[in-house]
Amino acid sequence: MSFELLQPDSLPGALKALAQHGDEAKVLAGGTAIVLMLQQKLIAPTVLVSVGRIPDLAYIRSEPDGIHVGPLTTLRDMERSLVIQTHFPLLAQASGEVGNIRVRNQATLGGNLAEADYASDPPTALLALGTQVTATSLRGERTIPLEDFLIGFYTTDLEPDELITDVFIPASAPGSRTTYLKYRSRSSEDRPCACVAAIAAFEAETCTDLRVAVGAASEVPQRLPAVENLARGQALTDELIGEIAAGYADNIDTLEDIRGSAWYRTQMIRIHVVRALEELRNGRR
Amino acid sequence: MKIEGSFTLEAPIRTVWDYLLNIEEMSQCIPGVSALETIDTKSYRGELQIKVGPIKAAFGGTVTLLELEPPHRLVAEIVADDRRNASQVKATFTSILKSLADGTEVTYTIDANVRGRLAQFGQAVAQSTAKKMAAAFGSCMQEKIDAGETA
Ligand SMILES: Cc1cc2nc3c(=O)[nH]c(=O)nc-3n(C[C@H](O)[C@H](O)[C@H](O)COP(=O)(O)OP(=O)(O)OC[C@H]3O[C@@H](n4cnc5c(N)ncnc54)[C@H](O)[C@@H]3O)c2cc1C
């Protein structure tokens, strides 16, 4: 393993290094994913650009329309943030479900999103929340909705010279109920076999808005707006919940890996969408 | 590891078979294949590059036609390795052609044994990569067939 380690202490410095080395360079944040890939020699960059010394990339900033989370924020800080626990409990939950505490202390949000491993927790919660990712390069800055950012297995919309510089999560309707369910098929510290993030707003018993994202069961986490819309203006009866769960189970092309077969994942989607929606209807937050 | 899939071509089964068996032409339709050379009438040597996210694999190896039942079924054996990723693949490729009312359905099954560093990516990644490659292959073959018909 031989590469040059660059540790720029400013954002422009890091962007310049990435622009210079292009495809030959890799960003290093918490290192939990990339160090494994280097050790296994799956990637062989000639330059590693560490972003750890750039100031002000780790933050959780609350604004009237939502929160901004810096890419270097660790999953542990997100899990423990009072702002996130209060306004986005779903995200605190999903961050807190990742691996084990040693991983969460080290793993960053930017690294989790850029790694784009299908068997991940935060992206599914963030998709349900309508997250926007900001990518910056010397060429400028652009904001990408998360559904367009995540393209496929280990593949994102990022160009080699771009850094994730901000993650924006819009506020949900006041009084929204949310939940995150992670299903593990192996050990208690494992990545998910399937996971469900759900957000619902109610007026009395009537559901006025529903958002459901299912992750880890297919190449990228998915929302199905046509199925979500079945709930709009309706009471979440057992029958309707069953119909929505079937909509997700039937329309997601599930994958097969060591955590479960495609058929098994379809069943897990059905069961966990039912559980998530029952939880929202019954009022737990 | 078993990978399966299918695609449909708008051409009679005989035409599809002939195009598939024209290995040098056909191989141009497989994304990432280069440097294909004929060893003899049944074996070929070539290279295949695949990219999944940040990971690049470059396999070099041979393809040997084991069974040919024109125009319905072919079986080939693939033996390849990727030096940089210290990985080996041994696979049996079976393709079955079926006449449809308006074309031909091509079904493929790859029974692969992957060893080495790339093995950890497993079924899910391999299946999806194969599906994308098959889709690209199918539309490229269709173009070749259509061009051949008008020529
Ligand atoms: C034992 C273990 C268990 C785990 N369990 C889970 C789990 O249950 N659920 C789950 O969701 N995840 C799990 N993970 C994955 C973990 O969440 C990710 O490895 C981590 O979030 C990556 O963040 P990092 O800061 O360590 O990234 P790094 O390893 O530093 O980088 C990862 C990738 O992101 C790129 N990158 C990093 N920051 C940026 C940036 N700002 N802009 C552009 N590119 C960037 C890097 O170039 C690299 O390609 C587990 C990991 C381990 C090791």
Side-chain angles (χ1 to χ4, degrees):
Chain A
M1 217 186 307
S2 79
F3 49 77
E4 189 187 350
L5 177 67
L6 302 179
Q7 298 180 286
D9 50 19
S10 72
L11 182 59
L15 297 179
K16 213 151 119 197
L18 288 178
Q20 227 165 41
H21 299 284
D23 216 9
E24 290 297 306
K26 283 301 281 177
V27 175
L28 171 71
T32 59
I34 204 171
V35 169
L36 283 177
M37 295 217 280
L38 288 169
Q39 277 172 352
Q40 292 166 338
K41 301 210 179 83
L42 283 171
I43 52 171
T46 55
V47 178
L48 275 187
V49 181
S50 165
V51 290
R53 288 196 185 159
I54 305 174
D56 307 326
L57 285 183
Y59 54 81
I60 297 170
R61 207 171 60 231
S62 187
E63 290 192 0
D65 58 344
I67 52 164
H68 291 270
V69 182
L72 274 188
T73 311
T74 64
L75 299 180
R76 180 69 177 148
D77 283 340
M78 290 172 59
E79 168 191 3
R80 301 206 316 167
S81 152
L82 210 56
V83 172
I84 295 183
Q85 285 176 7
T86 311
H87 299 290
F88 303 90
L90 163 70
L91 185 57
Q93 248 176 312
S95 307
E97 294 272 15
V98 169
N100 58 54
I101 192 160
R102 294 174 302 285
V103 170
R104 297 197 294 279
N105 270 326
Q106 189 67 30
T108 67
L109 177 62
N112 185 278
L113 291 176
E115 187 197 9
D117 191 312
Y118 64 93
S120 294
D121 294 288
T124 305
L126 290 167
L127 182 68
L129 287 162
T131 299
Q132 311 256 352
V133 177
T134 299
T136 307
S137 68
L138 286 185
R139 297 172 288 123
E141 193 181 278
R142 63 191 180 115
T143 296
I144 314 153
L146 188 58
E147 57 267 37
D148 300 332
F149 177 85
L150 299 171
I151 292 181
F153 288 117
Y154 311 99
T155 308
T156 68
D157 190 41
L158 282 179
E159 297 290 337
D161 65 342
E162 284 182 315
L163 265 184
I164 298 177
T165 47
D166 185 59
V167 177
F168 175 69
I169 306 150
S172 305
S176 293
R177 299 176 196 161
T178 69
T179 190
Y180 180 75
L181 299 181
K182 172 172 183 170
Y183 174 66
R184 299 173 182 82
S185 56
R186 306 190 304 169
S187 79
S188 62
E189 291 186 0
D190 199 15
R191 287 170 173 268
C193 166
C195 57
V196 175
I199 306 174
F202 294 91
E203 268 166 28
E205 299 289 289
T206 306
C207 180
T208 53
D209 186 32
L210 177 70
R211 284 177 276 161
V212 178
V214 170
S218 55
E219 204 166 334
V220 291
Q222 292 183 42
R223 274 180 68 185
L224 301 175
V227 180
E228 290 173 343
N229 283 339
L230 295 174
R232 199 177 289 257
Q234 309 288 327
L236 285 185
T237 57
D238 287 348
E239 198 192 345
L240 179 56
I241 287 177
E243 207 180 314
I244 294 169
Y248 275 84
D250 296 345
N251 289 301
I252 292 179
D253 188 11
T254 49
L255 58 79
E256 170 168 350
D257 67 5
I258 41 172
R259 298 187 183 87
S261 68
W263 176 86
Y264 182 70
R265 277 190 157 88
T266 299
Q267 309 313 312
M268 291 306 112
I269 292 175
R270 187 192 316 276
I271 290 169
H272 288 86
V273 171
V274 167
R275 285 189 192 158
L277 297 188
E278 284 177 353
E279 201 178 305
L280 297 186
R281 175 190 63 194
N282 300 344
R284 238 182 76 193
R285 288 199 50 179
Chain B
M1 167 158 77
K2 213 170 188 156
I3 297 164
E4 294 169 319
S6 67
F7 54 89
T8 307
L9 296 175
E10 287 170 28
I13 189 164
R14 199 69 236 190
T15 310
V16 172
W17 178 265
D18 290 344
Y19 271 87
L20 283 179
L21 269 268
N22 183 346
I23 305 287
E24 290 187 16
E25 275 277 304
M26 177 275 273
S27 71
Q28 295 169 4
C29 279
I30 307 175
V33 164
S34 62
L36 189 99
E37 26 171 323
T38 305
I39 303 172
D40 56 44
T41 53
K42 293 225 176 309
S43 16
Y44 304 85
R45 207 188 335 262
E47 281 167 27
L48 172 66
Q49 289 192 18
I50 302 176
K51 191 169 177 296
V52 178
I55 297 152
K56 298 180 192 107
F59 288 99
T62 56
V63 178
T64 310
L65 298 173
L66 298 181
E67 293 172 40
L68 294 178
E69 292 168 29
H72 295 292
R73 181 170 171 272
L74 75 87
V75 181
E77 185 189 56
I78 302 162
V79 179
D81 67 358
D82 176 339
R83 294 230 179 88
R84 215 194 64 185
N85 288 309
S87 302
Q88 295 86 39
V89 178
K90 204 174 163 188
T92 311
F93 175 93
T94 308
S95 189
I96 293 176
L97 274 57
K98 206 174 104 193
S99 263
L100 303 177
D102 51 357
T104 304
E105 183 191 48
V106 183
T107 322
Y108 59 90
T109 309
I110 304 166
D111 210 332
N113 191 345
V114 184
R115 287 185 299 137
R117 289 185 200 124
L118 292 173
Q120 61 181 310
F121 286 94
Q123 179 86 19
V125 176
Q127 176 86 43
S128 134
T129 307
K131 208 164 158 184
K132 284 177 198 157
M133 287 173 70
F137 178 75
S139 54
C140 171
M141 285 297 279
Q142 186 71 54
E143 272 173 35
K144 279 202 188 285
I145 291 172
D146 292 349
E149 270 171 2
T150 53

